[in-house]
Amino acid sequence: MKKFLFFIVSLCVSLSFSQSRSFKISGKILSEDNKEPLEAATVYLERVKDSSLVTYTISDKDGLFEINEETYDEKLNLFIDYVGYQTYLKQVDINKEIINIGTIELKISNALDEVVIKSRSPITIKKDTLEFNVKSFKTKKDANVEDLLKQLPGVEVDEAGKITVNGKDVSKILVNGKPFFGDDPTITTRNLTKDIIEKIQITDTKTKSEAFTGEEGDKENKTINLTIKEENNKGVFGRVSAGGGTDERYELAGMVNFFDNDRRVSVLAGGNNTNSPGFSFGEIQKMFGGGYSRSISSNGSFSIDGRSFGSGEGIVTSQNAGANYADVLSDKVEINADYFYSGSNSENETTIERENILPDSRFFSDSRSRSLSDGQNHSANLGFDIELDSTFLININPSIKWSTSDRSFSEDEETRNEDDELTNQSTTSSFSQNDAKNFGTRIDLTKRFGNRGAFVKFEMNTEYNTNESEDFLTSETNFFNSEEDDIIRDQFTDSDNENRTLTASATYRLPIIAKELFLDFEYRFRNDNRSNLRSTFDRDEVTNLYDNFNFDLSTDFEYLNQENTPTLKLSYRKEKWSTSFTTRYVFRTLENKDFLRPELNIKRDFQALELRSYFNYRFSEKASMYTGYSLNNRPPSLTQLQPFQNVTNPLNTITGNPNLEPTNSHRIYMGYNAFDFQKKTGIYSYLSLNLNNNDVVSRTIVDPETLKRTTTYANVNGNYNIYGNINYSKTVKTDSIRSIKFDIGMSTSLNRDVNFNNEVKYNSRVTSLTPSLGLRFTWNKVMELRPRYRLTFTKNTYDIPTFEDVNFARHDLDLNFTTYIPKNFEWINNIDFAYNPNVAPGFQKSAWFWNSTLAYSFLKDQAIMTLKVYDLLNQNNNARRRATQNYIEDRQSTVLEQYFMLSFSWKFNSLGSKGNTDSDSMFFID
């Protein structure tokens, strides 16, 4: 493999030089009417013979621009675009290395000019909106939106589909301004193809009400809006895919979309046993689990936009189906609806070895468990946007969710003391059935007044949740070297939980200075009422029925959390900066009624001041910074407050503390983001400090003979977390068809926790440092090489001598290599290497993980045949080590193992007046 990689890199370097001529074009751009420099004007070069795009840049704050490039052409067309001005055109002779075109004065344009230049500029910056012309960015064949986003400057997409723009997370993706299957980005980006998209617009994330009133949105998150080509907004398009492989592995997926101008109907379905949600076909390299990591999350469920796509760890077999409908019913009413179904069954085996740390000793616990799960999930959402007139908007969003599940679980666990003597052991077996329903409705009423920015807004959100379950449990816990009696259980538990939540608020905005300085008055009411009925019955050995009521393991609670919160917010907005300050006072009542144990009833009243401030400054169209502070008050949970003694776990008795105080959480954060379109460099940084006073922590005492634990809760001061990261990237074009992007990053964190261990109070600190280095070499139509390396250092320190400091190091190497030759072929390799030298004996310390795909396109790229190999080297594992203030744990569970799969994918498209997209009019970055 080393020789192969060396050959590839050497080939890339040797072919990075050609006979093309180098040149530099510079100049200055002013407005003709006031002679002021125009910042963020788009300057781009096109080839004369076919109008294909060569390169582009934008002007700086002084109106200056500079283009450094190479070309084979003797002449190029130079264009300069700026919103509201006429397009400047000049043919440039590339007959010398340095070309200065002097000062260019742009004229004010009329409406007709705006139409003419609409689709020409590759990038346009309009105040708070960054817009890309899709035609200007070249991608591979069969590209989807995610492939396209990876080509945009300042946009990053990771392997899981998470998108960032100039360092800020993308929280929502819209299609023509409307949700597409909810707010889930990956269903949109991985299933819509590039060829139907005209523009990509990036803005700060806003709710519909905020957009209607003109409020500032969430400046820490971004929204991407995909605009469909006008000629492609009517027709049918979609894709179907099927694959079968060794070990009886299979994947099925299909999606069809009906577009009729404002009306959109989409239907999708999928099924597989490869740990994939089933909706991520079409991008070849994502056929392995839809871009998810090779081990499932700890709870084993796929969650997309709050929806569950399969449950259980290990190997998941899932079936999914969904539909989305969006329409404009009239000039005043818009509707959006979606439905999702997901079914899954899973199996998993987990091995855990844990070293538990006490102030004066240690003990060790080992466990092996096996679980089988089967679940069904339904989710339906409906949205109405009713604009009664230009000043009055009504948003109504009801939703329904229903899930059922069956789960069987077995576990063997044993605990040994410091002398390696067996202290206790337990066996557990259970079978449970669960039925959960959720009904919710959100209603927003927004009314604007005048043209100064005044409005009044009413919001109401209701939720009703029910959860019914039945659980059969048998367990035996044995104690050695002590007089503790063994604990044997054979029980049935019937649980019935309800949660009723009502949240209502009213806001009035008073403009002090029109469209600049505002004072908001808000009042919010929240009522959260929960009931918990848990009835446990022991099996009668005579009748063999579960009819002996177990008082100690049964509960009947009713919990109330009621809040009244008046709020004042002052905000000020200027062209380059904005700031806001919010203060609220929370009146909170927490009440718990115990119908089985009335003597444990509690009622607590709390009052707290909460603060929030934010400041954002835009240095230029290329760079900005932000900073903020918040003080939040968080009450203890019901479990932490209840003085009820929970003996569900025979080895850990938990008792709440009714005297707990709420936690005051202080957060200070700041960030800086910049992307230079001329130099193709980006830098993104972030720093935050979180300080918690009266933080609620566990307080556990371990019996030295039986190693049984007794846990309660306490308030502590001094817990904090510091996190920071910085990332620098630069793209260098070696010639018109080859480029190299460098990416250097560093992240660090420091966590300080105050803990109790056997009544000993101590401080622990966890420090981590993660440098990373990435490279992306792109040779258009030939190949792409993307290596990335991360090294993580972790250090755990304690302020008591009985605890030893612990150091960890982990190495991660990712290598993605793609070739596009010969024609119609695509060969993709994803290679990951992980090395963790600190895991316990018996756990695998290192592994190579290699997926390889060979694809062939035919029938005018409408069909693709792929041969895929998952885990080519058959070394996949998910061994992990975790260190906390109280223990060091090694864990390993079932993973998906090697398989081969042959798949076929076919796409169809009748969009546009001719039934297909017009690729001849596209112009690309070469």
Side-chain angles (χ1 to χ4, degrees):
M1 181 183 291
K2 292 181 179 179
K3 293 181 178 179
F4 170 72
L5 296 178
F6 178 77
F7 169 75
I8 293 298
V9 174
S10 301
L11 179 66
C12 297
V13 173
S14 64
L15 293 176
S16 295
F17 302 95
S18 63
Q19 299 301 315
S20 60
R21 65 185 72 188
S22 301
F23 65 90
K24 180 174 76 172
I25 299 178
S26 60
K28 185 173 184 178
I29 306 170
L30 302 178
S31 172
E32 185 185 56
D33 56 337
N34 57 18
K35 310 303 180 184
E36 292 290 328
L38 295 178
E39 180 183 4
T42 306
V43 184
Y44 55 103
L45 293 169
E46 292 182 355
R47 301 184 70 187
V48 175
K49 65 177 182 179
D50 59 7
S51 297
S52 61
L53 188 69
V54 176
T55 189
Y56 70 95
T57 187
I58 66 171
S59 58
D60 63 17
K61 63 181 179 179
D62 298 318
L64 300 173
F65 71 89
E66 183 178 290
I67 294 178
N68 292 277
E69 190 55 80
E70 293 184 359
T71 185
Y72 298 96
D73 296 275
E74 296 181 355
K75 294 183 179 181
L76 294 173
N77 286 330
L78 173 72
F79 293 87
I80 301 176
D81 280 350
Y82 192 83
V83 177
Y85 289 80
Q86 294 181 15
T87 298
Y88 173 85
L89 169 62
K90 178 182 178 65
Q91 192 170 94
V92 180
D93 292 323
I94 312 299
N95 52 15
K96 53 184 178 180
E97 188 173 342
I98 299 177
I99 305 169
N100 190 325
I101 64 172
T103 300
I104 306 299
E105 296 184 355
L106 298 187
K107 299 179 180 180
I108 299 291
S109 70
N110 54 43
L112 181 60
D113 293 322
E114 287 292 327
V115 174
V116 171
I117 68 171
K118 179 180 178 182
S119 62
R120 300 292 288 175
S121 179
I123 181 172
T124 305
I125 300 176
K126 312 173 185 176
K127 279 192 174 182
D128 60 347
T129 301
L130 181 62
E131 184 177 272
F132 296 99
N133 186 351
V134 171
K135 291 182 179 180
S136 301
F137 297 90
K138 187 174 183 179
T139 60
K140 65 179 183 180
K141 62 177 181 287
D142 195 43
N144 56 25
V145 172
E146 182 175 296
D147 298 320
L148 171 63
L149 291 174
K150 292 179 180 179
Q151 306 301 319
L152 303 183
V155 179
E156 298 289 339
V157 185
D158 66 14
E159 291 301 312
K162 180 183 177 182
I163 307 168
T164 58
V165 178
N166 294 336
K168 296 185 178 182
D169 292 342
V170 172
S171 58
K172 185 184 299 184
I173 289 190
L174 307 175
V175 177
N176 281 350
K178 300 180 181 64
F180 186 75
F181 280 103
D183 294 332
D184 165 41
T186 57
I187 291 182
T188 306
T189 58
R190 292 178 173 175
N191 291 289
L192 292 185
T193 56
K194 169 199 170 182
D195 52 12
I196 70 168
I197 308 299
E198 181 179 26
K199 302 282 187 181
I200 293 181
Q201 300 167 336
I202 301 174
T203 61
D204 294 334
T205 296
K206 292 184 178 183
T207 65
K208 293 178 180 178
S209 179
E210 288 172 339
F212 185 72
T213 59
E215 296 174 80
E216 285 193 316
D218 181 1
K219 290 188 174 294
E220 295 183 51
N221 289 279
K222 294 292 184 179
T223 291
I224 292 178
N225 181 44
L226 308 174
T227 65
I228 305 293
K229 299 176 183 179
E230 186 176 352
E231 68 273 16
N232 283 346
N233 215 14
K234 191 169 185 176
V236 180
F237 69 98
R239 182 175 309 191
V240 292
S241 176
T246 57
D247 293 335
E248 299 183 349
R249 299 296 169 203
Y250 70 89
E251 290 180 334
L252 302 170
M255 186 177 192
V256 59
N257 304 273
F258 306 86
F259 280 20
D260 187 3
N261 296 321
D262 292 326
R263 179 175 299 164
R264 293 202 318 256
V265 179
S266 299
V267 179
L268 54 76
N272 64 82
N273 59 358
T274 58
N275 290 352
S276 169
F279 296 140
S280 300
F281 59 94
E283 71 288 35
I284 303 167
Q285 71 271 30
K286 295 296 186 297
M287 284 297 230
F288 302 107
Y292 287 79
S293 61
R294 55 183 182 266
S295 60
I296 312 304
S297 61
S298 60
N299 64 10
S301 63
F302 297 109
S303 180
I304 297 180
D305 188 27
R307 304 181 179 92
S308 176
F309 292 87
S311 61
E313 291 185 304
I315 308 301
V316 181
T317 300
S318 62
Q319 311 84 37
N320 309 280
N324 179 264
Y325 171 72
D327 199 0
V328 177
L329 302 182
S330 69
D331 58 350
K332 296 182 179 180
V333 181
E334 296 184 7
I335 185 174
N336 189 82
D338 62 64
Y339 166 77
F340 282 90
Y341 161 78
S342 66
S344 69
N345 58 72
S346 65
E347 56 180 306
N348 179 59
E349 294 184 4
T350 301
T351 300
I352 299 175
E353 295 184 4
R354 177 183 291 187
E355 179 181 352
N356 301 276
I357 304 170
L358 300 177
D360 55 355
S361 64
R362 301 188 178 211
F363 66 96
F364 306 88
S365 58
D366 300 334
S367 68
R368 292 169 180 81
S369 63
R370 185 173 188 268
S371 64
L372 297 172
S373 301
D374 183 74
Q376 312 285 327
N377 300 276
H378 303 265
S379 173
N381 301 275
L382 185 63
F384 289 97
D385 300 326
I386 307 170
E387 192 170 332
L388 297 181
D389 57 42
S390 61
T391 66
F392 195 8
L393 176 66
I394 302 175
N395 305 111
I396 304 175
N397 300 96
S399 64
I400 299 175
K401 297 179 182 178
W402 178 34
S403 65
T404 59
S405 64
D406 298 336
R407 183 172 186 261
S408 61
F409 175 80
S410 61
E411 182 181 44
D412 295 316
E413 183 177 5
E414 62 179 33
T415 305
R416 294 168 285 108
N417 60 21
E418 201 165 23
D419 296 325
D420 202 33
E421 298 173 336
L422 184 62
T423 304
N424 64 64
Q425 68 179 16
S426 64
T427 60
T428 302
S429 178
S430 68
F431 175 77
S432 61
Q433 294 180 312
N434 187 79
D435 187 307
K437 299 180 180 69
N438 173 278
F439 306 91
T441 302
R442 180 183 177 91
I443 301 176
D444 296 341
L445 307 176
T446 308
K447 173 68 176 178
R448 296 188 308 214
F449 300 96
N451 58 5
R452 293 169 54 86
F455 65 81
V456 62
K457 179 163 51 178
F458 298 95
E459 299 177 357
M460 185 177 70
N461 190 17
T462 62
E463 276 194 50
Y464 177 67
N465 302 319
T466 64
N467 192 321
E468 300 176 355
S469 66
E470 295 182 349
D471 189 353
F472 293 88
L473 169 71
T474 58
S475 68
E476 181 174 349
T477 304
N478 307 115
F479 299 94
F480 305 93
N481 304 320
S482 73
E483 298 181 357
E484 186 78 17
D485 293 333
D486 294 341
I487 301 175
I488 300 175
R489 292 177 177 175
D490 187 354
Q491 300 168 334
F492 165 73
T493 299
D494 184 11
S495 298
D496 188 357
N497 300 317
E498 289 187 2
N499 183 13
R500 298 172 295 278
T501 302
L502 169 65
T503 303
S505 67
T507 305
Y508 171 68
R509 165 161 288 188
L510 174 66
I512 300 174
I513 301 177
K515 299 182 180 181
E516 290 188 1
L517 181 61
F518 306 97
L519 181 62
D520 294 354
F521 302 87
E522 179 184 343
Y523 180 80
R524 182 176 295 271
F525 171 78
R526 178 183 174 89
N527 189 83
D528 189 2
N529 194 303
R530 305 179 188 179
S531 62
N532 177 288
L533 177 60
R534 176 186 172 93
S535 301
T536 300
F537 300 89
D538 295 322
R539 184 174 65 86
D540 190 305
E541 295 183 356
V542 177
T543 64
N544 207 32
L545 299 175
Y546 293 97
D547 53 10
N548 292 332
F549 183 71
N550 190 315
F551 181 84
D552 292 336
L553 292 174
S554 300
T555 60
D556 189 358
F557 298 126
E558 186 175 288
Y559 177 67
L560 174 69
N561 178 7
Q562 191 174 95
E563 300 175 10
N564 291 272
T565 310
T567 302
L568 285 176
K569 177 181 178 181
L570 185 67
S571 56
Y572 191 45
R573 290 187 302 189
K574 298 295 288 184
E575 183 179 355
K576 284 188 170 291
W577 61 274
S578 64
T579 186
S580 65
F581 179 80
T582 304
T583 177
R584 61 172 67 102
Y585 200 80
V586 182
F587 299 88
R588 179 181 289 116
T589 298
L590 299 181
E591 182 178 5
N592 181 66
K593 296 180 181 179
D594 190 330
F595 297 104
L596 288 180
R597 307 166 186 84
E599 70 277 8
L600 300 182
N601 290 349
I602 59 173
K603 183 177 181 180
R604 299 282 304 277
D605 291 318
F606 301 99
Q607 298 181 17
L609 177 69
E610 295 188 338
L611 303 172
R612 182 166 297 176
S613 63
Y614 183 83
F615 176 77
N616 178 79
Y617 184 80
R618 180 167 53 87
F619 298 99
S620 66
E621 300 292 350
K622 306 174 185 177
S624 64
M625 61 81 63
Y626 60 94
T627 183
Y629 165 79
S630 65
L631 167 62
N632 292 316
N633 184 264
R634 186 174 63 250
S637 68
L638 172 62
T639 303
Q640 294 167 339
L641 276 175
Q642 287 175 328
F644 161 68
Q645 193 173 74
N646 187 339
V647 292
T648 303
N649 184 348
L651 297 177
N652 187 17
T653 299
I654 302 174
T655 306
N657 180 0
N659 298 315
L660 291 175
E661 296 294 329
T663 300
N664 286 317
S665 179
H666 302 263
R667 179 181 177 230
I668 302 173
Y669 61 95
M670 61 187 67
Y672 175 80
N673 305 284
F675 190 87
D676 192 318
F677 291 91
Q678 290 190 7
K679 300 178 180 179
K680 302 296 188 293
T681 59
I683 183 169
Y684 321 115
S685 60
Y686 179 80
L687 179 66
S688 68
L689 166 65
N690 293 275
L691 173 64
N692 294 324
N693 291 326
N694 279 333
D695 208 3
V696 178
V697 300
S698 299
R699 191 168 184 169
T700 300
I701 300 175
V702 180
D703 186 294
E705 293 187 358
T706 64
L707 298 180
K708 288 178 62 177
R709 305 183 301 278
T710 302
T711 301
T712 186
Y713 302 95
N715 288 115
V716 297
N717 291 322
N719 286 357
Y720 64 79
N721 165 263
I722 301 174
Y723 174 80
N725 68 57
I726 186 169
N727 183 273
Y728 173 80
S729 65
K730 181 176 179 60
T731 300
V732 178
K733 295 193 70 174
T734 58
D735 57 28
S736 60
I737 61 173
R738 285 177 282 262
S739 65
I740 301 176
K741 180 181 179 181
F742 303 92
D743 191 323
I744 302 173
M746 176 77 73
S747 65
T748 183
S749 66
L750 171 62
N751 294 278
R752 179 183 186 268
D753 293 294
V754 180
N755 306 281
F756 292 93
N757 195 310
N758 265 12
E759 292 300 295
V760 175
K761 186 177 181 179
Y762 68 97
N763 301 325
S764 66
R765 287 182 174 85
V766 180
T767 306
S768 70
L769 183 67
T770 305
S772 63
L773 175 64
L775 180 87
R776 180 174 182 174
F777 174 77
T778 303
W779 184 354
N780 287 345
K781 297 183 179 182
V782 178
M783 62 165 289
E784 181 177 273
L785 178 65
R786 290 184 292 136
R788 186 172 187 84
Y789 173 72
R790 293 180 302 278
L791 175 61
T792 302
F793 300 97
T794 303
K795 182 177 183 179
N796 293 39
T797 60
Y798 308 92
D799 67 351
I800 55 176
T802 52
F803 283 16
E804 296 179 3
D805 295 345
V806 183
N807 297 324
F808 299 96
R810 178 181 172 87
H811 305 260
D812 292 281
L813 174 65
D814 304 326
L815 178 60
N816 299 310
F817 175 65
T818 305
T819 62
Y820 305 105
I821 52 176
K823 186 178 180 181
N824 295 329
F825 279 90
E826 189 170 348
W827 183 35
I828 299 176
N829 293 275
N830 306 112
I831 304 172
D832 297 336
F833 173 73
Y835 177 62
N836 187 355
N838 306 108
V839 297
F843 290 84
Q844 192 170 340
K845 294 184 177 182
S846 65
W848 287 93
F849 184 68
W850 185 355
N851 293 332
S852 186
T853 301
L854 180 63
Y856 174 67
S857 300
F858 55 101
L859 297 179
K860 298 182 179 180
D861 288 342
Q862 287 185 302
I864 299 179
M865 185 70 72
T866 62
L867 175 63
K868 306 175 296 182
V869 185
Y870 181 89
D871 190 14
L872 181 64
L873 302 178
N874 201 23
Q875 294 188 20
N876 187 21
N877 80 88
N878 62 355
R880 295 291 184 270
R881 166 160 286 201
R882 182 187 181 195
T884 71
Q885 61 272 16
N886 295 323
Y887 64 83
I888 301 172
E889 179 183 274
D890 294 294
R891 172 189 290 261
Q892 188 166 340
S893 60
T894 303
V895 295
L896 190 64
E897 296 182 346
Q898 183 189 76
Y899 68 85
F900 295 75
M901 181 175 288
L902 184 65
S903 301
F904 174 77
S905 176
W906 177 65
K907 67 175 182 179
F908 50 92
N909 188 348
S910 67
L911 293 175
S913 58
K914 297 182 181 181
N916 51 44
T917 55
D918 184 6
S919 59
D920 294 336
S921 63
M922 294 186 178
F923 53 97
F924 299 101
I925 291 182
D926 288 328

